[in-house]
Amino acid sequence: MKTVLLTLLLLAGSAFSEGDESHSTEDSTHTGLFELIMELTGSTVRSWAKPIEYVNMDRMMELIESGLVSFHKADWYAVVDDE
Amino acid sequence: MSNSVQCVLCPHLCILAPGERGRCSVRLNIDGELISLVYGLPVAVHIDPVEKKPLFHFMPGIDVFSIATAGCNLKCEFCQNWEISQAAPEDVTPYDMPPEAVVENALAYGCSAIAYTYTEPVVYFEYTRDCARLARAAGIRNILVTAGYINPGPLSELSEYIDAANVDLKSMSDTYYRNICGGTLQPVLDTIIQLKESGTWVEITNLIVPTLNDDPDEIDTLARWVLDNTGSDTPLHFSRFFPMYRLMDLPPTPLDTLQRARGRARDIGINYVYVGNAVTPEGMITKCPECGKILIVRHGYMITENNILNGNCVNCSAPIAGVWDEMEEQ
């Protein structure tokens, strides 16, 4: 049931996100969407997956200056409101 | 606000504090903005025959401009491209190749299609989408070779530009996905169905790993799922495992296992079942499901016989599922 609801929610999200505009961030529709997603998915800890890790930002800045990584704005994310 | 972000590209739904990157290793939160670290920076660029993807029913014989960046959102212990898929972007030296250059190179080398492959195109979503959009405008087809671990919304956006896909259905066991691949099963099944419904030509690959997913009952379950959800004309490729990455202690898949899997899937009702990474009798041959005539014979990735004309069997005129137009123009 969770999966079905999540699928419907994300499909709904895609409907809001057509076109060339970024799919990210401040859109109030997304804020509500992600709150619902978090409620449905429950735990954010998935022990079977690769870990989330901090990066050395100084090193990252060196890499972008040397052209080895790009800082290209991504799509399909939202700012999380901790409160 | 904490400037944390949640990436909803894939079912991991990573929540990232500033300075953290996701499980894919290529999407980083910088001060509340999610950044792709690999846009325009492929680490693998090759020209392959389309049969290598594998796609056997999509424009056979064409050359495909094939690219990959670092990163993957799964961690399959048998990964054959683990040096780049499990690498962080800073671990592998990339080419500088923005989408315009990808399309220009594909045209320059006479490639009829671009494949987003080798690692996982889902994690370089924006690069894949932008390349595919330009390629479509230039008359080049787009091929997605993917594990299918993506959420429906992003997939909907991407599939608009994708002409064909090979989806790796690694198992019908959620436990296998969690323990061996670092993911879950259901999103992959959903992806296959969504791609099929979007009009994308879909073929499915299942890597058979000795002792882990070679149980005949599981093969049957997989073949029945393919039949029930995508139809009898969806090509199914059983691929041979070789010791790799973290599964060095297992032997290569016995040829008998692959042939039995092919036989079972055909008995269940899949019309086109192939064996890859191995030489087996009829494992690379396409036969007409109506009259049984041999239609396409492949040796390695070379096509040595072709008896499809205008998408039909030359013997009985039965329509053969697939996208054949390029072959017929030749």
Side-chain angles (χ1 to χ4, degrees), chain A residues 41-77:
Chain A
T41 53
S43 171
T44 58
V45 177
R46 292 168 172 78
S47 60
W48 64 86
K50 286 194 289 193
I52 291 170
E53 61 174 24
Y54 276 100
V55 303
N56 180 333
M57 288 305 295
D58 291 337
R59 174 72 177 138
M60 275 297 156
M61 295 311 294
E62 289 175 12
L63 289 168
I64 193 170
E65 286 175 10
S66 61
L68 295 177
V69 301
S70 63
F71 279 7
H72 186 92
K73 191 172 186 304
D75 293 336
W76 294 100
Y77 72 96

Side-chain angles (χ1 to χ4, degrees), chain A residues 11 13 15 18:
Chain A
L11 278 171
E18 294 292 327

Side-chain angles (χ1 to χ4, degrees), chain B residues 136-149:
Chain B
R136 172 70 59 86
I140 296 176
R141 312 289 180 97
N142 291 297
I143 294 170
L144 200 66
V145 182
T146 178
Y149 207 57

Side-chain angles (χ1 to χ4, degrees), chain B residues 245-264:
Chain B
Y245 191 34
R246 293 179 173 166
L247 288 184
M248 297 298 291
D249 55 340
L250 290 177
T253 314
L255 297 182
D256 283 353
T257 302
L258 294 158
Q259 287 182 262
R260 276 199 296 273
R262 179 173 179 271
R264 297 178 84 93

Side-chain angles (χ1 to χ4, degrees), chain B residues 60-171:
Chain B
I62 63 167
D63 286 336
V64 179
F65 196 80
S66 304
I67 59 173
T69 74
C72 184
N73 52 350
L74 297 181
K75 60 171 185 65
C76 304
E77 296 185 358
F78 46 76
C79 183
Q80 62 180 328
N81 291 322
W82 63 272
E83 294 97 334
I84 51 176
S85 74
Q86 302 303 309
E90 62 269 33
D91 296 334
V92 194
T93 303
Y95 302 93
D96 182 8
M97 193 173 286
E100 294 81 3
V102 172
V103 175
E104 285 171 10
N105 276 289
L107 288 169
Y109 285 100
C111 297
S112 305
I114 297 171
Y116 312 94
T117 180
Y118 303 133
T119 56
E120 177 48 68
V122 165
V123 307
Y124 52 93
F125 174 86
E126 295 80 10
Y127 185 42
T128 300
R129 180 202 58 206
D130 291 354
C131 288
R133 184 185 288 158
L134 287 176
R136 172 70 59 86
I140 296 176
R141 312 289 180 97
N142 291 297
I143 294 170
L144 200 66
V145 182
T146 178
Y149 207 57
I150 182 172
N151 281 327
L155 179 61
S156 175
E157 183 182 339
L158 190 58
S159 63
E160 183 178 341
Y161 305 103
I162 300 301
D163 298 288
N166 187 299
V167 183
D168 197 2
L169 178 53
K170 298 168 191 294
S171 168

Side-chain angles (χ1 to χ4, degrees), chain B residues 290-305:
Chain B
E290 292 296 323
C291 71
K293 180 172 180 60
I294 291 176
L295 297 176
I296 299 179
V297 179
R298 305 170 186 85
H299 287 98
Y301 300 130
M302 294 288 292
I303 295 172
T304 55
E305 189 174 338

Side-chain angles (χ1 to χ4, degrees), chain B residues 184-199:
Chain B
T184 50
L185 169 64
Q186 189 60 47
V188 181
L189 302 179
D190 294 342
T191 289
I192 292 171
I193 292 171
Q194 189 179 337
L195 280 171
K196 193 81 180 175
E197 290 177 348
S198 74

